[in-house]
Amino acid sequence: NGKVLLTIDDYFEAAKDKLQKQTYEYYASGAEDEITLRENREAFTRWLFRPRVLVGVQHQNVSTSILGDYVSFPVMIAPTAMHKLAHPDGELATAQAAAAMHTIYCLSCLSTTSMELIASAFPGRPRWFQLYVLKDRTFTQQLVRHAEELGFRALVVTVDAPRLGRRWCDVRNGFGLPPHIDLEILGGILRGGHTGESGLAAYFAAQVDDSLSWKDIAWLVSITKLPVIVKGISAGEDAALAVQHGCRGVVVSNHGGRQLDSALSSLECLEDVVNHVHGRCEVFLDGGVRRGSDVFKALALGARAVLIGRPALWGLATRGADGVHHVLHILHEELRQVMALNGCTTIADINRSYLRRAGAYPPQ
Amino acid sequence: NGKVLLTIDDYFEAAKDKLQKQTYEYYASGAEDEITLRENREAFTRWLFRPRVLVGVQHQNVSTSILGDYVSFPVMIAPTAMHKLAHPDGELATAQAAAAMHTIYCLSCLSTTSMELIASAFPGRPRWFQLYVLKDRTFTQQLVRHAEELGFRALVVTVDAPRLGRRWCDVRNGFGLPPHIDLEILGGILRGGHTGESGLAAYFAAQVDDSLSWKDIAWLVSITKLPVIVKGISAGEDAALAVQHGCRGVVVSNHGGRQLDSALSSLECLEDVVNHVHGRCEVFLDGGVRRGSDVFKALALGARAVLIGRPALWGLATRGADGVHHVLHILHEELRQVMALNGCTTIADINRSYLRRAGAYPPQ
Amino acid sequence: NGKVLLTIDDYFEAAKDKLQKQTYEYYASGAEDEITLRENREAFTRWLFRPRVLVGVQHQNVSTSILGDYVSFPVMIAPTAMHKLAHPDGELATAQAAAAMHTIYCLSCLSTTSMELIASAFPGRPRWFQLYVLKDRTFTQQLVRHAEELGFRALVVTVDAPRLGRRWCDVRNGFGLPPHIDLEILGGILRGGHTGESGLAAYFAAQVDDSLSWKDIAWLVSITKLPVIVKGISAGEDAALAVQHGCRGVVVSNHGGRQLDSALSSLECLEDVVNHVHGRCEVFLDGGVRRGSDVFKALALGARAVLIGRPALWGLATRGADGVHHVLHILHEELRQVMALNGCTTIADINRSYLRRAGAYPPQ
Amino acid sequence: NGKVLLTIDDYFEAAKDKLQKQTYEYYASGAEDEITLRENREAFTRWLFRPRVLVGVQHQNVSTSILGDYVSFPVMIAPTAMHKLAHPDGELATAQAAAAMHTIYCLSCLSTTSMELIASAFPGRPRWFQLYVLKDRTFTQQLVRHAEELGFRALVVTVDAPRLGRRWCDVRNGFGLPPHIDLEILGGILRGGHTGESGLAAYFAAQVDDSLSWKDIAWLVSITKLPVIVKGISAGEDAALAVQHGCRGVVVSNHGGRQLDSALSSLECLEDVVNHVHGRCEVFLDGGVRRGSDVFKALALGARAVLIGRPALWGLATRGADGVHHVLHILHEELRQVMALNGCTTIADINRSYLRRAGAYPPQ
Ligand SMILES: Cc1cc2nc3c(=O)[nH]c(=O)nc-3n(C[C@H](O)[C@H](O)[C@H](O)COP(=O)(O)O)c2cc1C
Ligand SMILES: Cc1cc2nc3c(=O)[nH]c(=O)nc-3n(C[C@H](O)[C@H](O)[C@H](O)COP(=O)(O)O)c2cc1C
Ligand SMILES: Cc1cc2nc3c(=O)[nH]c(=O)nc-3n(C[C@H](O)[C@H](O)[C@H](O)COP(=O)(O)O)c2cc1C
Ligand SMILES: Cc1cc2nc3c(=O)[nH]c(=O)nc-3n(C[C@H](O)[C@H](O)[C@H](O)COP(=O)(O)O)c2cc1C
């Protein structure tokens, strides 16, 4: 509608206008009462900056490395399902934007675009593959092989979804994919249409293994040379277990508030995880990142990088690859700004001393 | 109205539409400013989950035992008065749903259905009888005998109501029973109609003994072989006294916010009670349970099981026995879900380590 | 309008309807941003009850003594100015209600009824006289003599108003008395009418001494046999000074939020004062008392009794002496109720163990 | 519109009505989500008074000295840009009001009135000059010389703006100066008009040096005899560095929430700064001061004086010099009032013992 798009929230509003109700609600909603969905955002507002001045911020470098790969800034794209619902270009557009911004795109295994297409389109760029461990282990293993062959640089195993969270919108809407869109990686049919039943929930229950346990992680580590990252950690003890089972990274995440409602925000779990990991693997975070200041806060509390889920979808829905690119660009510029005004010139400068708890007395 | 009923709140809305104003307000309201009514709900939101992952949740068992009796899940039906106001099938419908779900129904002594009818309808199912100690002790003793003979498995003595709480709605509405509904256990006439006076308050003042003290509990324990449970405990010291007086259980409860307004929520009293009881009797909780996550939180803080009051009434009003059954079913499914996503497969797995205080720093 | 009047809030609504805007705003408003006005109420909501049960509450005694005088319950009427604005019967009606309820009425020295009339109307009842120390000390001394002769039982010296607080409503309304109403004790003319200037503020500045200090208190104590009570204490240190200067009581008060805005609520000052006084004089509280539960909370934190300001005015405006009487009666019944449901049968039973801080963890 | 103007908020409303939208938004807005803008205000509400009584407040003296210069009360005017947007008389009017109230006006180097005009208009009055260190150091040095020659009494170097904060209003409005208004000190052209680009941001990026560091402060101190004050300090460590680099004062400030969004409020940074400075230089504060009570709170937490930004602009926009004068007068009267009612007669009486944290238990 011609409005200038300056912030992630602007993209959210624009996407809301543009998307079909069913799709919008699928993307935007959280599980049950959406307590965790809200907490993910609120948690960021509970920290405020205590900036330093007069350090000379003319030269800034916001690039970093993630599992050894260069990224232009510590923001990646989280795996989210079914991008063709947002835009006909689907996951290809998202991957293109990530490549252009020199950061990592994590492809969901619920993709509506094939792994081959993604891999061939932007060669040489680091990208990750998100895996649900399926009931069918042979097929699971084929997916791992496939990801290796196609040059994906890491396997992200999502562990917070032995069952799909209850998202009432999807149940009420009878959420499903339209006939012309398919799950190009997992295959099978994900149709909706029955009020009172989420097509995704049914599909998920049929495919994904709810017996998943640490021995499956050990198995995955044993069958691949790719670094394995577990996504969906809240407790420090689980992060320590991940390290012990050979994982190279953990994503502190509650699946964007879509799985266990009333769970702690991911930000509030971060310090505990960082303390348990003790530098033995890389710690990432997703959930509620909407501002450069959010990125700074997560890094100050110990994350190596963050991932964004919905913001990329809002960009994609609004303007395809350009929208995703702009969303990333906005966060990039905001991070530069927030670092400059906090008196940090490199990512390594960011630490806990820049944060204080909002409203706390004495200061914390 | 054809809306899909997915949550307890959906049943609440449906019941609100269906019930007469006077009845709805009698059921829904709390005492005075309804501070405690709200606190009962708020208290649950002050705890969030810190879930564990990768434990393998394919096999779940949410059954437990209560005073030695098997229940399919740790949720019972609290004693609430006058079910025929909600539905012509009254307490019989409620009892039927509890039996079908294999859990305990606690019959209120302000029932509009007789004890015999309840007892004969669903033989072999554990059920409890809630008792107000009446001014007329001979009659009180007869009720106890009667409960024993009819196979009720425990006596629940309500101790938070030496006087009825002030519920302004009932006073304004001149709350009372219509001519065709009677109190089938206590007898007598409970008519309303005078704006400015609650018929129930008058009835209650006439029947119930406000001199009730620990020696009456001792007396009750002495005249029956049934386990005695005191309902309406807030202070740990009182729970310890209950144990000393031979009680086998305590219900941490403030009568659903209908008695002492501005009292602490029951959830916030729970830990103190559990600490004082120290395993010497079973500890239950009611007040504000609306979600499977609420059940989990109460258990994590030490309750053996919880009871629901109003949710059963919303089910009953909306769809009779089927409605109550569905309400129980919803909680059953939600509890399974919240356990699975927290990484618990049995009730015994649930403990304090899964909870953290919302917004607290450092974490508590 | 025929609505049943059940609570103080009902009287507030009724009075609001009935009073002229100027009068209503004069009564209801607080100084500046009304932060303290709101805090006075909020402070009560920050405490919740932890009730005890099974103590036998059939015999209740809510009477107590104040400076040796019997009162039927620990609630007095605070000195408030100009009752004839609320009702033609003015202070006489208020005094009558207090007498009928067997409690103490504290007459404001800004009364629109003479001391003689009040004294002669209800002989033998304990009543207090509130004094502003005036620039004219001779006149001040005459007032003291007069109060003694007329049988007032204590002098309440208000010390939180060396200057009148800024109440923007009064300034905007050009608040003043209509021609047919006079200040019958202090005399002089209090006319308004100029938008941008409060008539009361001008009157006050002319009469009341802003040099008031502890030596004036010593002087007052020296010239009268009546017990001297200082009203308007917030700091424990000042309460200790009051004791040292021979005062027999202190009223923890911020003048109902009408003087120093952004001051702590009186309830939040209470414990500090009680600790400093250490039983050496009686401690009273006013500000925001609207419920029996508020009375209980103040007593649990160490007050001997409380005073109500505006609630009496709402009663007076709505129904004259009957209204004030009903307001007192409501609080009397609510106090009985809240004591019974907390398990207290006498005023002496009330103590800190019945309170916990709302939302605090661990419990406080 | 004839409404009586009694408070700073009244002036805010009046100015909002009077100003062009673009100008109003430029003045009122903060950076990004305006979290810090709101925190600046909220922080004051987190402190409440614990007043003392009976100290005799007939003689009050609210004057103090700032860097040795007498001021009639501890409130100065903060440097704010482009006063001619608010009123044709521009900075001259503001300076006139400050002079009339015997307090310090700090001229912004983004003034739309020349330094000469200001200096010549009100000789003998203490006034300060705010400096941005420019890319052009020669010009910067000329400005310093100029300020010295014209009798400015201190240099205020703003250090929280190596880059301009992102103020979305200005970006959306394409904020700029109209053709008939110029930056009379810095020169150059600050035109707007392009939606999506703030003219000020462009101008700022071109002129102001983002390499500013402590060695530049050392340089400034070395080239002038004027006391140097750094404005925009949040961390105690930076205040200590300021002392070490020869600064005579620090302004705890976040630029009125216009630079780093999500920064701590200035009030919440104050105690840390005061503790680090340890009396070695004077500590000032700005941000959110709107009430006499705010001034008192800042002083109680250790500030020597405060500065007001927007309030002066609201006065200027509404009634020119008279408006600014009245704004200062309001704060002067409110400070006198709040001191009297707290029991303070001089600025030196104000200390931490008069404050308590709102809602904290135990009291802090
Ligand atoms: C619409 C949608 C689909 C998602 N699909 C997946 C998925 O297929 N696999 C997965 O591991 N996470 C999935 N997630 C979770 C994201 O990876 C990520 O954890 C979450 O979106 C982060 O929170 P944010 O949206 O607040 O940034 C999905 C999230 C959304 C919103
Ligand atoms: C309409 C209604 C009637 C009730 N009647 C009784 C009763 O007769 N006896 C009793 O012990 N408790 C009674 N209660 C209290 C319940 O047993 C229980 O403590 C409360 O409802 C739990 O709170 P909840 O409604 O939030 O689940 C009643 C509650 C309601 C809402
Ligand atoms: C309209 C009004 C007039 C008052 N006049 C006086 C007065 O003349 N003298 C005095 O000491 N306090 C006066 N007060 C303060 C009261 O004595 C008392 O401190 C306050 O009203 C208690 O707060 P509450 O109104 O919330 O109960 C007045 C209060 C009000 C509301
Ligand atoms: C419209 C506007 C323009 C400002 N311009 C400047 C400036 O040129 N230089 C500077 O150091 N601070 C500038 N400031 C910041 C003020 O000096 C001051 O820090 C801030 O306004 C204080 O907050 P307050 O407005 O809440 O009182 C400006 C502030 C505003 C609102």
Side-chain angles (χ1 to χ4, degrees):
Chain A
N1 53 21
K3 230 187 106 190
V4 199
L5 297 164
L6 299 172
T7 66
I8 305 301
D9 280 351
D10 291 344
Y11 271 96
F12 167 70
E13 297 294 344
K16 189 171 177 177
D17 282 358
K18 203 149 186 180
L19 289 168
Q20 275 196 304
K21 179 173 173 290
Q22 199 206 62
T23 304
Y24 166 73
E25 292 192 353
Y26 165 62
Y27 286 165
S29 67
E32 307 202 353
D33 297 324
E34 303 193 333
I35 295 170
T36 297
L37 181 70
R38 283 187 296 274
E39 279 289 313
N40 276 352
R41 285 294 306 136
E42 296 258 323
F44 286 102
T45 69
R46 294 188 189 120
W47 293 104
L48 297 173
F49 299 123
R50 198 185 71 115
R52 303 298 302 269
V53 292
L54 289 167
V55 301
V57 294
Q58 71 278 35
H59 305 300
Q60 275 192 297
N61 183 350
V62 303
S63 71
T64 187
S65 72
I66 295 177
L67 293 181
D69 282 322
Y70 166 91
V71 288
S72 70
F73 74 131
V75 176
M76 300 175 272
I77 295 186
T80 54
M82 303 177 263
H83 289 198
K84 284 196 181 157
L85 283 176
H87 194 276
D89 298 345
E91 286 80 1
L92 215 54
T94 316
Q96 180 185 334
M101 279 298 291
H102 292 270
T103 190
I104 291 168
Y105 170 41
C106 182
L107 183 68
S108 164
C109 78
L110 292 172
S111 174
T112 48
T113 306
S114 71
M115 294 165 80
E116 291 78 1
L117 223 56
I118 297 290
S120 60
F122 315 100
R125 297 292 186 219
R127 71 181 70 82
W128 293 352
F129 180 63
Q130 178 263 328
L131 188 73
Y132 285 117
V133 177
L134 306 173
K135 296 200 162 136
D136 182 341
R137 292 294 153 97
T138 317
F139 185 29
T140 308
Q141 188 154 359
Q142 282 168 13
L143 289 174
V144 173
R145 278 295 150 272
H146 212 45
E148 286 174 351
E149 287 157 17
L150 291 168
F152 286 83
R153 311 269 300 164
L155 287 181
V156 176
V157 192
T158 301
V159 298
D160 57 10
R163 298 169 177 203
L164 199 73
R166 308 197 163 209
R167 305 156 192 177
W168 300 130
C169 295
D170 295 352
V171 175
R172 293 190 203 285
N173 293 335
F175 174 78
L177 283 176
H180 65 283
I181 303 186
D182 289 317
L183 293 176
E184 299 279 355
I185 298 175
L186 290 196
I189 305 234
L190 193 168
R191 289 292 172 270
H194 308 290
T195 296
E197 213 187 304
S198 157
L200 177 59
Y203 180 90
F204 202 88
Q207 304 272 349
V208 175
D209 193 350
D210 61 354
S211 79
L212 195 70
S213 75
W214 285 109
K215 71 175 174 15
D216 301 294
I217 301 299
W219 168 73
L220 270 176
V221 169
S222 76
I223 63 164
T224 182
K225 290 248 164 57
L226 291 182
V228 171
I229 298 167
V230 289
K231 171 169 179 286
I233 295 290
S234 295
E237 296 91 316
D238 280 337
L241 285 170
V243 171
Q244 285 164 34
H245 285 81
C247 297
R248 298 276 306 282
V250 296
V251 184
V252 181
S253 171
N254 49 45
H255 216 109
R258 298 163 77 83
Q259 286 294 117
L260 176 63
D261 194 32
S262 196
L264 281 172
S265 66
S266 44
L267 192 72
E268 244 134 358
C269 293
L270 181 57
E271 278 184 293
D272 182 36
V273 167
V274 169
N275 290 338
H276 275 80
V277 159
H278 224 258
R280 292 173 295 162
C281 76
E282 298 195 353
V283 178
F284 313 110
L285 172 137
D286 72 23
V289 176
R290 300 292 179 269
R291 282 276 181 209
S293 56
D294 300 336
V295 181
F296 189 105
K297 287 171 188 178
L299 268 59
L301 293 170
R304 181 154 194 96
V306 301
L307 304 93
I308 52 166
R310 293 178 187 86
L313 295 171
W314 309 144
L316 183 63
T318 309
R319 298 204 291 135
D322 282 358
V324 182
H325 187 271
H326 193 204
V327 158
L328 288 168
H329 180 75
I330 286 171
L331 289 173
H332 187 267
E333 289 312 288
E334 287 186 354
L335 178 62
R336 284 172 54 90
Q337 176 83 355
V338 79
M339 283 174 62
L341 296 184
N342 263 308
C344 293
T345 55
T346 69
I347 295 296
D349 289 343
I350 300 173
N351 63 50
R352 177 66 172 76
S353 75
Y354 292 91
L355 299 190
R356 287 290 178 276
R357 199 79 182 165
Y361 191 83
Q364 293 188 305
Chain B
N1 52 20
K3 229 189 106 190
V4 200
L5 297 164
L6 298 173
T7 67
I8 306 300
D9 280 352
D10 291 343
Y11 270 95
F12 167 70
E13 297 294 343
K16 189 171 177 178
D17 281 358
K18 202 147 185 183
L19 290 168
Q20 276 196 303
K21 177 173 173 288
Q22 199 206 62
T23 304
Y24 166 72
E25 292 191 353
Y26 166 63
Y27 285 166
S29 68
E32 307 201 353
D33 298 323
E34 303 193 333
I35 294 170
T36 298
L37 182 69
R38 283 187 296 273
E39 278 290 313
N40 275 352
R41 285 296 306 137
E42 296 257 323
F44 286 101
T45 69
R46 293 188 189 120
W47 293 104
L48 297 173
F49 298 124
R50 197 186 71 114
R52 303 299 301 269
V53 292
L54 290 168
V55 301
V57 295
Q58 71 277 36
H59 306 300
Q60 275 193 296
N61 183 351
V62 303
S63 71
T64 187
S65 72
I66 295 176
L67 293 181
D69 283 321
Y70 166 90
V71 288
S72 69
F73 74 130
V75 176
M76 299 176 274
I77 295 186
T80 54
M82 302 178 264
H83 289 197
K84 285 196 180 158
L85 284 175
H87 193 276
D89 297 345
E91 285 80 2
L92 215 52
T94 316
Q96 181 185 333
M101 280 297 291
H102 292 270
T103 191
I104 291 168
Y105 170 42
C106 182
L107 183 69
S108 163
C109 79
L110 292 172
S111 174
T112 49
T113 306
S114 72
M115 294 165 79
E116 291 78 1
L117 223 56
I118 297 291
S120 60
F122 315 99
R125 298 291 187 221
R127 71 181 69 80
W128 293 353
F129 180 64
Q130 178 263 327
L131 189 72
Y132 284 118
V133 178
L134 307 172
K135 296 202 162 135
D136 181 341
R137 292 295 153 98
T138 316
F139 184 30
T140 308
Q141 189 154 0
Q142 281 168 13
L143 289 173
V144 171
R145 279 292 152 272
H146 211 46
E148 286 174 353
E149 287 157 16
L150 292 168
F152 285 84
R153 310 269 302 164
L155 288 180
V156 175
V157 192
T158 301
V159 300
D160 57 9
R163 298 169 176 203
L164 199 73
R166 309 199 162 207
R167 304 155 194 179
W168 300 130
C169 295
D170 296 352
V171 175
R172 293 191 203 282
N173 294 334
F175 174 78
L177 284 175
H180 66 282
I181 303 186
D182 289 317
L183 294 176
E184 299 279 353
I185 299 176
L186 289 195
I189 304 231
L190 192 167
R191 291 290 172 270
H194 308 291
T195 297
E197 213 186 304
S198 158
L200 177 59
Y203 180 90
F204 201 89
Q207 303 272 349
V208 175
D209 194 348
D210 62 354
S211 79
L212 195 71
S213 75
W214 285 110
K215 73 174 172 15
D216 301 293
I217 301 298
W219 169 72
L220 270 176
V221 168
S222 76
I223 64 164
T224 182
K225 291 246 162 59
L226 292 181
V228 171
I229 299 166
V230 290
K231 172 172 180 283
I233 295 290
S234 295
E237 296 91 315
D238 280 337
L241 284 171
V243 172
Q244 286 164 35
H245 285 82
C247 297
R248 299 276 305 283
V250 296
V251 185
V252 180
S253 171
N254 49 46
H255 216 108
R258 297 163 77 83
Q259 287 294 117
L260 176 63
D261 194 34
S262 195
L264 280 172
S265 66
S266 43
L267 192 72
E268 244 134 358
C269 293
L270 181 57
E271 278 183 293
D272 182 35
V273 166
V274 169
N275 290 338
H276 275 80
V277 160
H278 224 259
R280 292 173 296 162
C281 76
E282 299 194 352
V283 177
F284 313 110
L285 172 138
D286 72 23
V289 176
R290 300 293 179 267
R291 281 275 180 211
S293 56
D294 300 336
V295 181
F296 189 105
K297 288 171 187 177
L299 268 60
L301 293 170
R304 181 154 194 95
V306 302
L307 303 93
I308 52 166
R310 294 178 187 85
L313 296 172
W314 308 144
L316 184 63
T318 309
R319 297 203 294 134
D322 282 358
V324 181
H325 186 271
H326 192 205
V327 158
L328 288 168
H329 181 76
I330 286 171
L331 289 173
H332 188 266
E333 290 312 288
E334 287 186 355
L335 178 61
R336 283 172 55 89
Q337 176 83 357
V338 78
M339 283 174 62
L341 297 183
N342 263 307
C344 293
T345 56
T346 69
I347 295 296
D349 290 343
I350 300 172
N351 64 50
R352 176 66 171 77
S353 75
Y354 292 91
L355 298 190
R356 287 292 179 274
R357 200 79 181 165
Y361 192 83
Q364 294 188 306
Chain C
N1 52 19
K3 229 189 106 191
V4 201
L5 297 164
L6 299 173
T7 66
I8 306 301
D9 280 352
D10 291 342
Y11 271 95
F12 167 69
E13 297 294 343
K16 189 171 178 178
D17 282 358
K18 204 149 184 179
L19 289 168
Q20 278 197 304
K21 178 172 173 291
Q22 197 205 64
T23 304
Y24 166 73
E25 292 192 352
Y26 166 62
Y27 286 166
S29 67
E32 306 200 356
D33 298 323
E34 303 192 335
I35 295 170
T36 297
L37 182 69
R38 282 187 297 273
E39 278 289 314
N40 276 352
R41 284 297 303 139
E42 296 257 324
F44 286 101
T45 70
R46 293 187 189 122
W47 291 104
L48 297 173
F49 298 123
R50 197 186 71 117
R52 302 300 301 269
V53 292
L54 290 166
V55 301
V57 295
Q58 71 276 35
H59 305 300
Q60 276 192 295
N61 185 349
V62 303
S63 72
T64 188
S65 72
I66 295 176
L67 293 182
D69 283 322
Y70 166 91
V71 288
S72 70
F73 75 130
V75 176
M76 300 176 273
I77 295 185
T80 54
M82 304 178 261
H83 290 198
K84 284 196 180 156
L85 284 176
H87 193 276
D89 297 345
E91 286 80 2
L92 214 52
T94 316
Q96 181 185 333
M101 279 297 291
H102 293 270
T103 192
I104 292 167
Y105 170 42
C106 182
L107 183 68
S108 163
C109 79
L110 292 172
S111 174
T112 49
T113 307
S114 72
M115 294 165 80
E116 291 79 1
L117 222 56
I118 297 291
S120 61
F122 315 100
R125 297 292 187 217
R127 72 181 67 80
W128 293 353
F129 180 64
Q130 178 264 327
L131 189 71
Y132 284 118
V133 177
L134 307 172
K135 298 203 159 130
D136 180 341
R137 292 295 154 97
T138 316
F139 184 30
T140 307
Q141 187 154 2
Q142 281 168 13
L143 288 174
V144 172
R145 280 291 152 274
H146 211 45
E148 286 175 352
E149 287 157 15
L150 291 168
F152 285 84
R153 310 270 301 164
L155 288 180
V156 176
V157 193
T158 302
V159 299
D160 57 10
R163 300 170 176 202
L164 199 72
R166 309 197 163 209
R167 305 158 192 175
W168 300 131
C169 295
D170 296 352
V171 174
R172 293 193 201 281
N173 294 334
F175 174 78
L177 283 175
H180 66 284
I181 303 186
D182 288 318
L183 293 176
E184 297 280 353
I185 298 176
L186 290 196
I189 303 230
L190 192 167
R191 290 292 172 268
H194 307 291
T195 296
E197 211 186 306
S198 158
L200 178 58
Y203 180 90
F204 201 89
Q207 303 271 348
V208 175
D209 193 348
D210 62 354
S211 78
L212 195 70
S213 74
W214 285 109
K215 73 173 172 15
D216 301 292
I217 301 299
W219 168 72
L220 270 176
V221 169
S222 76
I223 64 164
T224 181
K225 290 248 163 57
L226 290 181
V228 170
I229 298 166
V230 290
K231 172 172 180 284
I233 296 290
S234 294
E237 296 91 315
D238 280 337
L241 285 171
V243 172
Q244 285 164 33
H245 285 83
C247 297
R248 298 277 306 282
V250 296
V251 185
V252 180
S253 171
N254 49 45
H255 218 106
R258 298 163 77 83
Q259 286 294 118
L260 176 63
D261 193 33
S262 196
L264 281 172
S265 66
S266 44
L267 192 72
E268 244 134 357
C269 293
L270 181 56
E271 279 184 292
D272 181 35
V273 167
V274 169
N275 291 338
H276 275 81
V277 160
H278 225 256
R280 292 173 295 163
C281 76
E282 298 193 353
V283 177
F284 312 110
L285 171 137
D286 72 24
V289 176
R290 300 293 179 267
R291 281 278 180 207
S293 56
D294 300 336
V295 180
F296 189 105
K297 288 171 187 177
L299 268 60
L301 293 171
R304 182 155 193 96
V306 301
L307 303 93
I308 52 166
R310 294 178 188 85
L313 296 171
W314 309 143
L316 184 63
T318 310
R319 297 204 294 136
D322 282 357
V324 182
H325 186 270
H326 193 204
V327 158
L328 288 168
H329 181 76
I330 287 170
L331 289 173
H332 187 267
E333 290 312 289
E334 287 186 354
L335 178 60
R336 282 172 57 90
Q337 177 82 356
V338 80
M339 283 173 63
L341 296 183
N342 264 308
C344 294
T345 56
T346 69
I347 295 296
D349 290 343
I350 300 171
N351 63 51
R352 177 65 171 76
S353 76
Y354 292 92
L355 299 190
R356 287 292 178 276
R357 199 81 181 163
Y361 191 82
Q364 294 188 307
Chain D
N1 54 19
K3 230 189 106 190
V4 200
L5 297 164
L6 298 173
T7 66
I8 305 301
D9 281 351
D10 292 341
Y11 270 95
F12 167 69
E13 297 294 344
K16 189 171 177 178
D17 282 358
K18 203 148 186 181
L19 289 167
Q20 276 197 305
K21 177 172 174 290
Q22 198 206 64
T23 304
Y24 166 72
E25 292 191 352
Y26 166 63
Y27 285 166
S29 67
E32 307 202 354
D33 297 324
E34 303 193 335
I35 295 170
T36 297
L37 182 69
R38 283 188 296 274
E39 278 289 314
N40 275 352
R41 284 297 303 138
E42 295 257 323
F44 285 102
T45 70
R46 294 189 189 121
W47 292 104
L48 297 173
F49 298 123
R50 198 185 70 117
R52 302 298 303 269
V53 292
L54 289 167
V55 301
V57 294
Q58 70 277 36
H59 305 300
Q60 277 193 295
N61 184 349
V62 302
S63 72
T64 188
S65 72
I66 295 176
L67 293 182
D69 282 322
Y70 167 91
V71 287
S72 70
F73 74 130
V75 177
M76 300 176 273
I77 295 185
T80 54
M82 303 178 262
H83 288 199
K84 284 195 181 158
L85 283 175
H87 193 276
D89 297 345
E91 286 80 1
L92 214 53
T94 315
Q96 180 185 334
M101 279 296 293
H102 292 270
T103 191
I104 292 168
Y105 170 42
C106 182
L107 183 68
S108 164
C109 78
L110 292 172
S111 174
T112 47
T113 307
S114 72
M115 293 165 79
E116 292 78 1
L117 222 56
I118 297 291
S120 60
F122 315 100
R125 298 291 186 220
R127 72 180 70 80
W128 293 353
F129 181 63
Q130 179 263 327
L131 188 73
Y132 284 117
V133 177
L134 307 172
K135 297 202 161 135
D136 181 341
R137 292 295 154 97
T138 317
F139 184 28
T140 308
Q141 188 155 0
Q142 280 168 14
L143 288 174
V144 172
R145 279 292 152 274
H146 212 44
E148 286 174 352
E149 287 157 17
L150 291 168
F152 286 84
R153 311 270 300 164
L155 287 181
V156 176
V157 192
T158 300
V159 299
D160 57 10
R163 298 170 176 202
L164 199 73
R166 307 195 164 209
R167 305 158 191 174
W168 300 129
C169 295
D170 296 353
V171 175
R172 292 191 202 283
N173 294 334
F175 174 78
L177 282 176
H180 65 282
I181 303 186
D182 289 318
L183 293 177
E184 298 279 353
I185 298 176
L186 290 195
I189 304 234
L190 192 167
R191 290 290 172 270
H194 308 290
T195 297
E197 212 186 304
S198 158
L200 178 58
Y203 179 90
F204 202 88
Q207 303 272 349
V208 176
D209 193 348
D210 62 356
S211 78
L212 195 69
S213 74
W214 285 110
K215 70 174 175 15
D216 301 293
I217 301 298
W219 169 71
L220 269 176
V221 169
S222 76
I223 64 164
T224 181
K225 291 249 165 56
L226 291 181
V228 170
I229 299 167
V230 289
K231 171 171 180 284
I233 295 289
S234 294
E237 296 90 317
D238 280 337
L241 285 170
V243 172
Q244 285 164 35
H245 285 83
C247 298
R248 298 277 306 281
V250 296
V251 185
V252 180
S253 171
N254 49 46
H255 217 107
R258 298 162 77 84
Q259 286 294 116
L260 176 62
D261 194 32
S262 195
L264 281 172
S265 66
S266 44
L267 192 71
E268 243 134 358
C269 293
L270 181 57
E271 279 184 292
D272 181 35
V273 166
V274 169
N275 290 337
H276 274 81
V277 159
H278 224 258
R280 292 173 296 162
C281 77
E282 299 194 352
V283 177
F284 312 110
L285 172 137
D286 71 24
V289 176
R290 300 293 179 266
R291 281 277 180 209
S293 56
D294 299 337
V295 180
F296 189 105
K297 288 171 187 177
L299 268 60
L301 293 170
R304 183 156 192 95
V306 301
L307 303 94
I308 53 166
R310 293 177 188 86
L313 295 172
W314 309 144
L316 183 63
T318 309
R319 297 204 292 136
D322 282 357
V324 182
H325 187 270
H326 193 203
V327 159
L328 288 168
H329 180 74
I330 287 171
L331 289 173
H332 188 268
E333 289 313 288
E334 287 186 354
L335 178 61
R336 283 173 55 89
Q337 177 83 354
V338 80
M339 283 174 62
L341 296 184
N342 264 308
C344 294
T345 54
T346 69
I347 295 296
D349 290 342
I350 299 172
N351 63 50
R352 178 66 172 76
S353 76
Y354 292 91
L355 299 190
R356 287 291 178 277
R357 199 81 181 164
Y361 190 82
Q364 293 187 307

